[in-house]
Amino acid sequence: MVKLPLQGIRVCDLTWIIAGPTATRVLADFGADVIRVEHGQAVDAIRLGRPIVGETPTLNNSGFFNYINRNKRSILLNVRHPDGYGLLRQLIAVSDVVVENFSSGVMESWGLGYDDLREIREDIIYCSVSGFGHSGRDREYTTWGPTAQALSGLTMMSGLPGIQPAGWGYSYMDHTAGYYAASAIMMALYHRKLTGEGQQIDMAQVEAGIVLTGPAFLDAMVNGRSWRREGLPPGNRAWQPEVAPHNTYPCAGEDRWLALAVMNDAEWQALVRAMDEPDWATDKCFATNAGRLEHQDELDTHIADWTRPQEDYALMTLLQAAGVRAGVVQKASDRFERDPQLASRGWWHHLPHAELGNCEYDGVAPRLSGTPGELRTGSPLLGEHTHEVMREILGLDDEAIASNEAAGVFM
Amino acid sequence: MSGPLTGLRVIEFCDEPGQLAGKLLADMGADVIKVEPPEGSSARAIGPFVKDIPGPDRSLNFWYYNTNKRSVVLDVETSTGDRDLARRLCEQADIVIEDRTPGIMQPLGLAYAGLVDAAPGLVYCSITPFGQDGPWAQFRTSDLVSLALGGPMAMNGYDPEDAPGAPPIHGNGDQAYNTACHAAMHGIMAALLERLETGRGQHVDCSMHEALSCTTEVGMPYWLYARQDVIRQTGRHAAAVRTERWMYRAADGRDVLIFGVGRDNASWAKIKQWMQEHGFGQQFDEERFDDPLARQPARGTAEAREIMQTLASFIGEMPAEEIYRGGQERDQAWGIVLAPDETVHDQHWWDRGFFVHVSGEGVDAPVPMPGAPYIFSATPWELRRPAPKLGEHTGEVLAELRST
């Protein structure tokens, strides 16, 4: 068996909802032993998250939870019980990484701020993911993905001009804050392996969002142009580089769309040939990018008339063969059922789950030739590994486990 | 103090799709050498430009995504001498990142297979639209096209009454490229950690399409477990069924984002009192509003509808800033829909030292720019130098190469 890149790294995972568990999903995919510490009194809301399989939530039948918590273990620990709290500290002492995404201040209130953690384990890597970070005047403010998207500018950067923004139809910044946290933890691990030094990583979800707006932000600082102005956001037209055509066009069927981006005159000529050189397209006004931008309404109308009766995938194939950047707006069903690229690269995986049956999963996005990430287990049932972890990692014997169980420590 | 990647040498052959990966490495201390053709990276031709005057050193896109890098001009396409220099740079490096169409690097002798014998410890990351193989490997994309195929776009859009017949909408800011680079970072860091154990490098095949396809939250679970596609809605999560709105216009014309109202009874009491002080929601004292589940928008209850309608009227009479801060002070995770540049006015980010100042051609004084996505206590993010001018470090880097 190939050794995975993070094999031997233990993560004490105090995260919940999406951003934190996304970070530990990445670490688990690459082989880290991720132990989710869960609390029966404050259960991860995603364990109740739809879609669920069956009529009523059981805490173990959420497809959504399963999707982001594969490869991890789960223990139930009542940290309000002194013995539970003691066991948590013991777990931290034998972990390389502690990661959490509580509101700022929660860990300190448990006596588990970074200074406390260092006393438990000197070289610990402690990563917190909160809305506003652990410093600054508004550190007690809280976010969910949509809040962070709004406050960072990302929401406003998605939409049609003249009406409310469309924003992001999901918590893009939960995924992305989790991705940054995973990178940060691996960088800190790298530094620790070289020097023996651990450290604290303080992430603010909103800052990670602002990082994704750089050129738009700089346009205002350098040129004095805010995105809060007429004409922005530009729908699916291009902000920068300023090119046309660049839009979505309707295809045959209900709610079927093709995205198309022409970046230069050569690609425009290729599109014209692919359309069989209709009279309108050979008009001089469309010959240059400047002309196409100036007559963009007319241009988009003509192209939409051409695409509307056609089947989207056939059109994409035709245009790609001609060297035109074009792609179907794929829904989840399209990616799973029709996407030959994902299928041919073996993107979809299957793993059994006690309550969900045989489940389908995404693969691991970056593919490492020598030590690729892998899917080993589905998401853990609530507390599935409590006894196993207590026995194997913390060295409790059967008697100690039974007495803790009886005392309500594992709940 | 310096970043955790200090001492690592990276050779970058990237334009728009991969340049963020190089920045993320450089900003954490790596010495990233960007190899550019004589005309410069295509990102140098992307606006907006300083004072709208194009020029290789005036692109704000290039400024942002190329901080802390060095620039070397080598004509690897046509000059065998330059190609040889590039090859030697790669062989002496720890990491190579490239974003060329699969197959382009092989004849140049700069693909992983051509370098691995001389440099077995090399971590070589290819960031491509669809990965190194498969029926779409040679397909061409843009950020828009990748967001369409990868799935994020289908989840963003409008309620039919807001924009009849509107298509799915893409978020701006090169988010497909960014997402690919986030995945690339995971691959590179995992490979570096593995290399510390074994001394061996490896190839990281990073497909933008795959990186995006696992970044659509409930979209994919809804298909996998309920065989249902979620529907897109104005300014809020796509869902299996229509849900209450989250985005409301305040008295000053700005939008606020209301993500949940009084999720627990303690915060509900605060928010209720606040509205009632302003003459709204006297009926909220009725017992039927005491159930937290009944108050949550996604559940479709009459109470939730009534709360959101009342809140909308309340918001309509208040400035956005007051709603945002008033809500947060009452334990509500609310926000203002800000323009990206408006974040600069929020003192909280300055408290944290988030914004840095950057200078470059055509500006008289340094301007603020977004800084670190993470604060490291021992090995911090650092802006050591602005994006390089085209070829600024050619002489310096080649002299270093000759001396090794």
Side-chain angles (χ1 to χ4, degrees):
Chain A
M1 223 181 76
V2 176
K3 190 171 173 292
L4 289 163
L6 297 186
Q7 208 162 314
I9 300 295
R10 182 171 299 131
V11 179
C12 174
D13 181 355
L14 304 177
T15 67
W16 60 345
I17 318 292
I18 307 174
T22 298
T24 55
R25 165 176 153 153
V26 174
L27 303 176
D29 283 356
F30 285 117
D33 181 14
V34 173
I35 300 171
R36 282 203 58 168
V37 180
E38 303 200 67
H39 325 272
Q41 302 306 307
V43 76
D44 183 348
I46 303 302
R47 282 200 173 273
L48 300 161
R50 288 168 198 280
I52 59 169
V53 171
E55 295 300 312
T56 46
T58 66
L59 299 177
N60 291 315
N61 65 350
S62 163
F64 187 17
F65 182 87
N66 191 37
Y67 186 73
I68 48 181
N69 290 287
R70 66 199 197 186
N71 288 334
K72 303 177 189 174
R73 300 202 269 183
S74 162
I75 64 171
L76 264 174
L77 205 54
N78 178 4
V79 295
R80 295 195 183 97
H81 189 292
D83 294 344
Y85 179 68
L87 287 168
L88 174 60
R89 293 175 66 98
Q90 283 184 47
L91 180 63
I92 290 167
V94 293
S95 293
D96 302 283
V97 177
V98 173
V99 53
E100 52 93 2
N101 61 318
F102 297 120
S103 302
S104 175
V106 169
M107 289 291 278
E108 283 86 351
S109 75
W110 289 6
L112 294 174
Y114 178 54
D115 290 340
D116 306 305
L117 294 173
R118 277 181 82 173
E119 280 182 21
I120 301 172
R121 178 163 174 165
E122 170 72 29
D123 66 349
I124 198 81
I125 290 164
Y126 165 47
C127 177
S128 61
V129 183
S130 58
F132 284 73
H134 285 196
S135 65
R137 65 193 69 189
D138 297 335
R139 63 186 175 279
E140 284 172 10
Y141 284 13
T142 57
T143 59
W144 294 71
T147 325
Q149 286 147 211
L151 287 169
S152 61
L154 291 170
T155 299
M156 189 183 278
M157 292 173 74
S158 171
L160 292 164
I163 56 175
Q164 279 191 320
W168 286 75
Y170 62 102
S171 289
Y172 174 57
M173 279 320 299
D174 279 348
H175 282 286
T176 301
Y179 291 164
Y180 273 100
S183 288
I185 289 166
M186 287 194 273
M187 286 191 272
L189 281 167
Y190 185 80
H191 175 75
R192 196 184 73 170
K193 280 199 179 191
L194 291 177
T195 65
E197 181 182 44
Q199 60 185 312
Q200 177 181 18
I201 300 157
D202 171 16
M203 269 201 63
Q205 190 182 26
V206 180
E207 285 175 344
I210 300 172
V211 161
L212 305 178
T213 69
F217 181 97
L218 277 175
D219 193 26
M221 299 305 116
V222 172
N223 295 318
R225 266 191 302 252
S226 173
W227 259 64
R228 192 182 290 284
R229 70 180 194 268
E230 209 180 316
L232 289 181
N236 291 325
R237 288 183 174 175
W239 174 57
Q240 290 289 350
E242 294 174 275
V243 291
H246 183 286
N247 216 330
T248 33
Y249 301 92
C251 296
E254 199 194 326
D255 196 31
R256 302 303 307 183
W257 302 87
L258 187 82
L260 180 74
V262 167
M263 308 304 282
N264 53 46
D265 292 344
E267 292 179 18
W268 166 248
Q269 290 305 328
L271 173 62
V272 171
R273 283 192 298 276
M275 293 189 295
D276 274 341
E277 307 192 1
D279 286 345
W280 68 264
T282 52
D283 189 303
K284 264 210 318 276
C285 76
F286 297 127
T288 64
N289 187 50
R292 292 192 294 277
L293 283 168
E294 193 183 331
H295 300 95
Q296 202 164 180
D297 289 340
E298 202 184 333
L299 179 65
D300 280 342
T301 303
H302 281 303
I303 297 173
D305 287 344
W306 179 69
T307 60
R308 197 170 285 110
Q310 306 198 60
E311 199 266 336
D312 48 4
Y313 284 88
L315 204 48
M316 169 173 69
T317 307
L318 171 88
L319 289 169
Q320 286 284 354
V324 177
R325 301 164 205 256
V328 173
V329 180
Q330 294 201 109
K331 302 169 199 256
S333 58
D334 297 319
R335 284 182 281 146
F336 191 76
E337 309 286 350
R338 303 181 67 180
D339 183 321
Q341 181 67 12
L342 291 174
S344 85
R345 278 171 55 93
W347 178 246
W348 305 107
H349 293 254
H350 295 262
L351 289 170
H353 182 280
E355 286 201 21
L356 295 167
N358 186 29
C359 299
E360 290 130 347
Y361 299 85
D362 297 315
V364 181
R367 293 171 187 242
L368 277 58
S369 59
T371 57
E374 66 173 20
L375 280 79
R376 301 178 296 281
T377 54
S379 66
L381 305 179
L382 183 63
E384 181 179 349
H385 305 95
T386 308
H387 291 190
E388 177 183 306
V389 167
M390 293 303 140
R391 191 177 297 116
E392 291 173 12
I393 297 178
L394 299 186
L396 270 61
D397 58 20
D398 289 348
E399 200 184 328
I401 289 173
S403 69
N404 277 305
E405 194 75 75
V409 172
F410 302 145
M411 59 184 280
Chain B
M1 290 194 293
S2 53
L5 307 182
T6 303
L8 288 170
R9 166 71 63 85
V10 182
I11 307 301
E12 179 193 308
F13 300 91
C14 292
D15 295 314
E16 300 94 292
Q19 60 186 356
L20 174 63
K23 170 184 167 69
L24 293 172
L25 295 167
D27 290 353
M28 292 312 272
D31 176 18
V32 177
I33 297 173
K34 191 177 183 89
V35 177
E36 302 190 66
E39 71 276 17
S41 162
S42 60
R44 292 185 185 271
I46 291 182
F49 299 99
V50 179
K51 293 173 186 147
D52 293 331
I53 302 166
D57 302 323
R58 302 180 71 96
S59 157
L60 297 178
N61 181 293
F62 193 87
W63 276 29
Y64 185 67
Y65 285 111
N66 293 279
T67 49
N68 287 326
K69 299 179 190 174
R70 297 197 280 170
S71 164
V72 170
V73 167
L74 289 175
D75 191 357
V76 298
E77 303 277 339
T78 60
S79 158
T80 52
D82 281 7
R83 207 176 297 158
D84 190 50
L85 289 169
R87 187 187 162 84
R88 284 172 54 204
L89 282 172
C90 292
E91 287 173 358
Q92 292 178 15
D94 300 287
I95 303 164
V96 170
I97 50 177
E98 58 97 3
D99 64 4
R100 306 295 186 242
T101 306
I104 293 284
M105 294 300 255
Q106 272 89 338
L108 305 176
L110 297 170
Y112 179 65
L115 295 168
V116 63
D117 287 344
L122 186 65
V123 171
Y124 186 109
C125 180
S126 301
I127 302 164
T128 56
F130 299 99
Q132 294 296 300
D133 52 42
W136 293 356
Q138 297 293 321
F139 271 23
R140 306 186 67 202
T141 65
S142 69
D143 195 71
L144 173 79
V145 169
S146 277
L147 287 170
L149 283 165
M153 202 168 152
M155 297 183 66
N156 312 339
Y158 286 98
D159 293 302
E161 64 271 25
D162 290 344
I169 299 292
H170 86 300
N172 276 275
D174 286 344
Q175 305 307 337
Y177 300 161
N178 293 341
T179 301
C181 290
H182 299 150
M185 278 298 287
H186 298 156
I188 290 167
M189 287 315 306
L192 283 173
L193 286 166
E194 204 275 336
R195 190 178 80 152
L196 282 180
E197 303 288 324
T198 63
R200 278 195 307 274
Q202 53 187 314
H203 185 220
V204 179
D205 172 9
C206 182
S207 156
M208 191 182 305
H209 189 52
E210 290 169 354
L212 288 165
S213 199
C214 59
T215 306
T216 61
E217 209 202 41
V218 294
M220 189 49 76
Y222 258 103
W223 184 257
L224 297 180
Y225 296 92
R227 288 298 186 259
Q228 198 173 356
D229 278 317
V230 291
I231 50 170
R232 51 190 194 272
Q233 317 188 87
T234 308
R236 63 197 187 282
H237 275 30
V241 293
R242 292 281 292 276
T243 58
E244 297 291 332
R245 288 171 183 273
W246 294 347
M247 203 190 286
Y248 295 94
R249 189 139 291 182
D252 57 3
R254 299 205 287 173
D255 292 313
V256 291
L257 189 119
I258 302 301
F259 195 73
V261 183
R263 287 170 183 277
D264 55 83
N265 283 341
S267 74
W268 168 241
K270 294 182 193 174
I271 214 80
K272 182 172 79 173
Q273 191 192 354
W274 188 31
M275 282 194 276
Q276 289 176 340
E277 281 165 9
H278 287 82
F280 293 90
Q282 305 309 327
Q283 78 276 28
F284 293 160
D285 290 329
E286 291 167 27
E287 215 179 293
R288 62 196 177 95
F289 291 98
D290 291 347
D291 176 8
L293 283 182
R295 294 195 300 266
Q296 289 319 310
R299 307 272 162 174
T301 62
E303 286 73 26
R305 264 196 303 282
E306 219 170 309
I307 290 170
M308 295 313 275
Q309 276 165 9
T310 308
L311 191 58
S313 312
F314 176 55
I315 291 167
E317 296 197 1
M318 304 270 280
E321 191 80 13
E322 236 172 278
I323 293 291
Y324 160 51
R325 295 198 179 270
Q328 285 282 0
E329 278 150 23
R330 290 169 180 81
D331 305 326
Q332 310 296 314
W334 295 355
I336 303 188
V337 179
L338 293 177
D341 40 278
E342 289 169 343
T343 57
V344 79
H345 304 303
D346 189 333
Q347 292 307 309
H348 175 75
W349 311 122
W350 291 98
D351 289 348
R352 282 172 59 76
F354 172 68
F355 292 113
V356 293
H357 285 87
V358 71
S359 53
E361 184 179 312
V363 297
D364 303 325
V367 295
M369 186 177 82
Y374 19 54
I375 298 178
F376 280 56
S377 63
T379 57
W381 187 103
E382 191 184 10
L383 181 64
R384 302 185 303 280
R385 62 167 66 118
K389 295 184 189 309
L390 178 59
E392 184 178 344
H393 305 95
T394 306
E396 172 184 310
V397 169
L398 295 185
E400 285 168 19
L401 188 65
R402 274 192 295 274
S403 69
T404 53

